[in-house]
Amino acid sequence: MSEIRVNTIVAAEGTSAPNLPYGVSVPTGMGITGAGGINVSGAATVAAGTFSGAVNIDDTTDSTSSTSGALIVDGGLGVAKNVYIGAGLSI
């Protein structure tokens, strides 16, 4: 397998992030660091992840069922701290 070692990768014009049309694989045990963010468009799948800071979901889609809204969780949910709900709660 070939290996490329560089300090910086930018798009051709030199002022933005490069387009990675085939995605990026990060090996187990490695991570992505830095002040920038990770932008995901389209239908993306993340197998697992750990976040050390606040996760902010900016989508404002209202929820009317267990399959709608800005955040849909298909599995169970465990919460280690207090929960604040700023609007109605339906169970």
Side-chain angles (χ1 to χ4, degrees):
M1 176 186 292
S2 297
E3 183 174 298
I4 299 172
R5 293 177 182 228
V6 298
N7 290 326
T8 304
I9 299 174
V10 297
E13 85 285 343
T15 59
S16 66
N19 181 14
L20 303 171
Y22 301 109
V24 175
S25 294
V26 178
T28 301
M30 302 304 286
I32 299 173
T33 62
I38 299 173
N39 296 319
V40 178
S41 62
T45 301
V46 177
T50 300
F51 300 90
S52 60
V55 176
N56 184 3
I57 299 173
D58 291 329
D59 188 322
T60 59
T61 303
D62 202 2
S63 178
T64 56
S65 71
S66 62
T67 59
S68 67
L71 176 64
I72 301 167
V73 179
D74 290 336
L77 177 64
V79 178
K81 298 281 184 168
N82 295 328
V83 175
Y84 170 80
I85 298 175
L89 172 65
S90 297
I91 299 177

